[in-house]
Amino acid sequence: MSALPYSFELFPPRNEAAAARMLEAVDAFAAVEPAFVSVTFGAGGTTSRHSLGVLQRLLDAGVSPMAHLTCTGLGVSDTARLVRQFLDAGITKFLALRGDPPADGVPEPATSLRSAAELVQLIDRVDSERVPYAEVPLPGLRASALAERRCGVEIAVAAFPNGHPGAGVHRGDVDALLAKQEVGATLAITQLFHDPYDYARYVELARARGVTIPIVPGVVIPTSHRRLVRSAQLAGEGLPRVLAERLERATPAEAVAIGVDAAVALLDSLAEHDPPGVHLYTFNDHRPAIDVLHGIGALAPTRTITTGAP
């Protein structure tokens, strides 16, 4: 799997200690030149300012950033404003998600988008309304400039190897993925799964229904029992019993090693199904992610990554 493109997910920090940890992760990931690094986004834009800060830090580090956006908690005009804000900052990759309703029970605005497919269309529309070129000043000439065409947007969406909770037996989630493709999605990233054959069966089903965009497996590195449980809850997945028991009995250091080995084993098993890349959910912890890349042979053994103090 040495040639497999890889990417990472980060989330905006909530305090100074978390911010320092996140900045270490940005620097470590920049050193291994990922395809992109995505940054999560709270419902209703609750973390939009912090998300933009992380995205800009990635840009400054020479990393291609991907901004998460959700439908929940904001009306169409507010969502469009956020999209323009990200575009104006130089962000051209997005992950369009339906998202979960706000936990505090605040009702959705009447004008909220209703699906990720609608959000894909909105991102594409806002991008198309912008001036399609940027002016690049010529050195030494005050009144002259060159026209440089802007990059078009790339829009990723979520995929559900074991089905979305509301998909039903007919796998409406696959039809929803096809709909997202038809309105402009260029990439799909899966939610958590534990069995490589879940991914293989999902890709086969999606292709049979007309989905042609790349479907990248999203892989969690379960470096603690709590993280494994929480990830499974968020994805609506059951727990892999043997792995959960091993993590529950392990010391913190042992749990990290167990989690890295589990992620490497999953990726090695996925290799026979020719995934177009791998997206690692990192929880802002860069060391296990780097270890996983070494474990699958994606990084040269001689490459040294500076990650700061342990």
Side-chain angles (χ1 to χ4, degrees):
M1 297 183 74
S2 58
L4 191 70
Y6 46 84
S7 55
F8 307 104
E9 180 181 282
L10 293 173
F11 57 81
R14 293 184 173 88
N15 53 52
E16 289 186 9
R21 182 182 183 190
M22 184 274 300
L23 293 178
E24 279 190 16
V26 168
D27 292 341
F29 293 156
V32 299
E33 302 176 353
F36 60 86
V37 174
S38 70
V39 180
T40 64
F41 180 85
T46 52
T47 63
S48 61
R49 179 173 60 85
H50 300 299
S51 296
L52 184 56
V54 179
L55 292 162
Q56 289 175 322
R57 174 77 182 203
L58 289 164
L59 275 175
D60 292 342
V63 179
S64 181
M66 175 181 283
H68 289 215
L69 283 175
T70 65
C71 298
T72 56
L74 290 175
V76 172
S77 59
D78 289 330
T79 304
R81 191 177 303 113
L82 270 174
V83 173
R84 281 191 291 272
Q85 183 181 17
F86 286 135
L87 288 169
D88 290 344
I91 313 300
T92 58
K93 289 184 173 69
F94 295 88
L95 178 57
L97 303 167
R98 171 67 182 92
D100 297 319
D104 55 12
V106 175
E108 291 284 341
T111 58
S112 287
L113 297 166
R114 294 169 296 179
S115 69
E118 290 186 354
L119 180 54
V120 170
Q121 293 177 82
L122 178 65
I123 294 169
D124 197 50
R125 190 194 78 199
V126 172
D127 180 57
S128 69
E129 290 173 349
R130 304 172 76 227
V131 176
Y133 59 85
E135 290 189 347
V136 181
L138 294 174
L141 298 176
R142 294 177 58 189
S144 299
L146 290 173
E148 183 179 80
R149 191 158 192 87
R150 298 185 191 276
C151 295
V153 294
E154 298 175 45
I155 308 174
V157 292
F160 303 88
N162 290 310
H164 188 276
V169 295
H170 298 296
R171 292 304 300 266
D173 60 298
V174 181
D175 294 329
L177 178 57
L178 179 60
K180 290 182 277 191
Q181 172 185 284
E182 293 303 306
V183 296
T186 57
L187 175 72
I189 301 173
T190 76
Q191 297 292 296
L192 166 73
F193 61 93
H194 301 297
D195 188 331
Y197 296 104
D198 291 341
Y199 171 80
R201 286 190 293 266
Y202 178 78
V203 172
E204 183 179 3
L205 177 59
R207 298 291 181 241
R209 294 202 187 177
V211 175
T212 59
I213 59 176
I215 302 174
V216 173
V219 174
V220 170
I221 308 170
T223 53
S224 70
H225 182 265
R226 179 175 177 273
R227 180 165 296 175
L228 178 66
V229 170
R230 180 61 176 155
S231 299
Q233 288 174 340
L234 289 172
E237 288 286 309
L239 283 177
R241 184 176 58 82
V242 173
L243 177 59
E245 289 175 354
R246 289 185 66 201
L247 288 170
E248 194 167 26
R249 294 193 302 265
T251 67
E254 290 170 342
V256 171
I258 290 169
V260 168
D261 287 347
V264 169
L266 176 58
L267 289 169
D268 283 344
S269 297
L270 283 171
E272 65 183 88
H273 304 297
D274 297 319
V278 57
H279 188 65
L280 295 176
Y281 297 109
T282 72
F283 299 89
N284 290 14
D285 193 354
H286 62 274
R287 294 178 183 86
I290 298 297
D291 288 344
V292 167
L293 293 182
H294 279 295
I296 63 172
L299 298 179
T302 56
R303 173 171 259 167
T304 299
I305 307 301
T306 302
T307 57

